[in-house]
Amino acid sequence: DAGVTQSPTHLIKTRGQQVTLRCSPISGHKSVSWYQQVLGQGPQFIFQYYEKEERGRGNFPDRFSARQFPNYSSELNVNALLLGDSALYLCASSPGTFYTGELFFGEGSRLTVL
Amino acid sequence: AQTVTQSQPEMSVQEAETVTLSCTYDTSESDYYLFWYKQPPSRQMILVIRQEAYKQQNATENRFSVNFQKAAKSFSLKISDSQLGDAAMYFCALTQGGSEKLVFGKGTKLTVNP
């Protein structure tokens, strides 16, 4: 079975631009979470979606938004990019029910903002 | 607020030897889970081991075991018979029971020397 897939793997943007990152969860998983991992730091929680509804939001500005589609895939959008948004963006999925704590991560999308 | 602290930015171990990675945490919740995740250079983060706070017995997964000291809020990872494939960033993480919002430490980079 395919794991969590993310696209694109690498991208370069300039300040002020907008970016959309995509994530496909493991088949059968209904929950998707997004994390930001700045170089040298641990991942920071951005959003969680379950059954297309937002279940959690981290301490990120409104420039960050996300959504989940009927097939449980998800998009993360970041508007008005800042240099500080340069990071590895990780998507993680889980079954979403009878949650035991394990998240399954994708390899991430590396965003560089110039 | 929940916090996770990993005080060892880098550790090294000889192949076949044992190494212990440290983690302390803080939470006001009584129902929580603790995790160690491994992030190899290929970036896909995978779960190494999980500990439910209500369980007194320390979790063990093959060569990986934890020392969970609830009163001291300490959660260390012991890797026995270290292998070259164990080289990676190791992140300690915490979540409230039922939540998929993981709080990660800054990580420990483990090097395994042949």
Side-chain angles (χ1 to χ4, degrees):
Chain A
D1 285 343
V4 176
T5 57
Q6 293 186 242
S7 63
T9 55
H10 294 83
L11 68 166
I12 299 173
K13 294 285 187 177
T14 57
R15 282 179 296 175
Q17 285 189 312
Q18 176 264 340
V19 67
T20 298
L21 308 177
R22 296 175 176 83
C23 172
S24 293
I26 290 172
S27 177
H29 284 191
K30 298 182 179 180
S31 175
V32 170
S33 300
W34 288 94
Y35 287 79
Q36 181 196 64
Q37 186 177 13
V38 173
L39 193 63
Q41 302 291 320
Q44 269 197 297
F45 174 79
I46 310 175
F47 286 110
Q48 185 212 347
Y49 277 79
Y50 175 69
E51 291 281 17
K52 294 172 289 181
E53 291 189 2
E54 182 182 301
R55 262 198 173 179
R57 172 185 285 255
N59 188 23
F60 280 81
D62 292 342
R63 298 185 296 106
F64 288 76
S65 63
R67 56 179 174 168
Q68 187 177 33
F69 299 97
N71 66 354
Y72 303 111
S73 66
S74 178
E75 285 183 352
L76 175 70
N77 295 285
V78 186
N79 295 322
L81 284 168
L82 303 174
L83 295 179
D85 295 331
S86 295
L88 181 67
Y89 289 85
L90 297 170
C91 175
S93 75
S94 82
T97 57
F98 306 107
Y99 176 67
T100 58
E102 180 173 6
L103 294 182
F104 296 82
F105 285 86
E107 292 193 7
S109 293
R110 171 75 64 188
L111 171 65
T112 301
V113 182
L114 302 177
Chain B
Q2 298 177 324
T3 61
V4 175
T5 302
Q6 294 180 249
S7 59
Q8 306 156 315
E10 296 188 27
M11 292 283 285
S12 64
V13 63
Q14 291 296 125
E15 199 175 0
E17 296 295 308
T18 296
V19 64
T20 298
L21 308 184
S22 300
C23 172
T24 58
Y25 64 93
D26 193 22
T27 179
S28 58
E29 303 293 333
S30 58
D31 177 22
Y32 58 91
Y33 291 78
L34 292 160
F35 310 88
W36 280 97
Y37 275 87
K38 170 185 177 182
Q39 189 177 40
S42 65
R43 300 177 304 175
Q44 187 172 35
M45 198 171 306
I46 57 174
L47 179 67
V48 174
I49 198 164
R50 170 179 59 233
Q51 176 79 44
E52 293 90 338
Y54 65 86
K55 289 188 176 179
Q56 292 185 341
Q57 187 171 7
N58 289 326
T60 299
E61 290 286 344
N62 301 313
R63 299 182 294 106
F64 299 87
S65 62
V66 299
N67 183 4
F68 175 43
Q69 300 291 326
K70 192 171 184 177
K73 295 185 176 178
S74 170
F75 183 62
S76 61
L77 174 70
K78 185 172 81 171
I79 306 174
S80 303
D81 186 25
S82 296
Q83 301 175 359
L84 294 177
D86 295 334
M89 285 292 292
Y90 285 81
F91 292 96
C92 179
L94 162 71
T95 189
Q96 175 185 344
S99 169
E100 294 196 10
K101 176 185 176 181
L102 266 61
V103 177
F104 285 87
K106 289 186 176 182
T108 297
K109 181 180 180 181
L110 178 66
T111 301
V112 181
N113 300 309

